Amino acid sequence: MGLLDGLLTLVLAPRCLGCGDATRDPAALVCGRCRSLIRPPPPPLCPRCGMPRLRTGRAAGFRCQECMEWPAGLRSARSACLLHHPADALVHQLKYRGWRGLGTFMAERLDTVPLPADVAAETRLVASVPTTEARLRERGYNQAEVVARAYAATTGRTLVPALRRAPGTSSQTTLQPVARMANVAGAFRLVETTKNEIAGEHLLLVDDVLTTGATVVACAETLMAAGARCVSVLTFARAVGRRRTN
Ligand SMILES: [Zn+2]
Ligand SMILES: [Zn+2]
């Protein structure tokens, strides 16, 4: 290795986007250790919404507080991991730091998530949770769409741009749960040109993070009002506990 090569390697040493450590594989955005930390949420999970049940209920007569208010057509939700280190860092890098290549990494992880049998069999179409016009202008992409597009390509599904934000809606990030619910009610619109495509379909809605569920409920209601038969949700990470309010 020449001096220049040596200097360049030092300056441009590839860093893992999860932990910041140098990675040996220049093509990998995420190091082996971080990859091993991205694990599925620990069972038992709510069979519908995929929330880890922790110690919240006995096996018999279990009624999940997370999804009891969900509309009937919101069939299920699953996530590739919980929003802990390093998943939180990866979500941040994709959303705010322009690391769009992470969409492919996240899509690969989504592809390993066991879906309920009917969801796996019926979902031909993938939609993503839309971001606001202001964010789209500022960043040039919607992180959920980046993940959804890669996931659709990986699994042979079709990405359908079925949803858009209603004008004048704001971002969720800074809001508390009750405000989130109010903020997203009526926040989404159907992209009318996709109406025929989604009619009667079981859609798979992809997002980077599932937080309180308010957003996916609002999206699912919009899609079902427009003629979709039902909606299931697949996200890279799932926020639990304290994480859900930030
Ligand atoms: Zn790492
Ligand atoms: Zn549940």
Side-chain angles (χ1 to χ4, degrees):
M1 186 187 288
L3 179 61
L4 184 60
D5 282 347
L7 281 171
L8 282 176
T9 305
L10 202 62
V11 174
L12 302 175
R15 300 261 161 202
C16 167
L17 295 175
C19 65
D21 286 354
T23 58
R24 290 203 188 91
D25 176 4
L29 298 176
V30 184
C31 75
R33 187 161 176 280
C34 284
R35 282 170 186 265
S36 72
L37 290 171
I38 305 286
R39 288 192 214 107
L45 308 177
C46 167
R48 187 185 185 201
C49 74
M51 188 68 160
R53 276 154 61 169
L54 307 173
R55 286 180 215 140
T56 52
R58 291 169 308 223
F62 166 75
R63 193 144 184 249
C64 177
Q65 303 285 317
E66 292 294 319
C67 59
M68 57 192 286
E69 308 276 324
W70 285 11
L74 184 45
R75 162 72 185 87
S76 76
R78 292 292 184 274
S79 304
C81 59
L82 298 179
L83 190 62
H84 294 156
H85 173 77
D88 52 355
L90 298 177
V91 165
H92 184 88
Q93 296 279 10
L94 172 64
K95 195 167 183 173
Y96 299 106
R97 297 296 174 95
W99 284 100
R100 296 174 65 160
L102 281 173
T104 305
F105 171 78
M106 291 183 187
E108 286 163 8
R109 304 315 288 232
L110 291 190
D111 192 27
T112 68
V113 175
L115 297 174
D118 61 318
V119 179
E122 293 173 7
T123 52
R124 233 171 24 88
L125 302 180
V126 175
S128 60
V129 173
T131 189
T132 61
E133 285 296 319
R135 281 230 164 126
L136 206 51
R137 269 198 305 275
E138 185 185 322
R139 300 204 189 115
Y141 65 95
N142 166 14
Q143 78 282 352
E145 191 194 320
V146 169
V147 179
R149 185 176 298 284
Y151 178 76
T154 301
T155 62
R157 290 177 168 87
T158 302
L159 180 69
V160 52
L163 291 169
R164 61 184 175 83
R165 284 270 177 172
T169 52
S170 59
S171 149
Q172 288 282 83
T173 315
T174 56
L175 300 175
Q176 296 294 313
V178 174
R180 278 175 182 255
M181 197 65 90
N183 186 51
V184 290
F188 302 99
R189 298 278 184 276
L190 183 78
V191 174
E192 287 292 333
T193 50
T194 65
K195 195 173 171 77
N196 287 343
E197 205 175 351
I198 68 163
E201 292 285 340
H202 183 169
L203 290 165
L204 194 56
L205 182 68
V206 169
D207 205 355
D208 53 349
V209 178
L210 178 56
T211 305
T212 60
T215 297
V216 295
V217 166
C219 287
E221 283 174 339
T222 304
L223 292 166
M224 291 186 292
R229 182 163 58 83
C230 55
V231 174
S232 286
V233 174
L234 186 58
T235 72
F236 174 64
R238 174 118 196 188
V240 287
R242 201 166 46 81
R243 296 276 185 169
R244 304 175 69 212
T245 55
N246 62 22

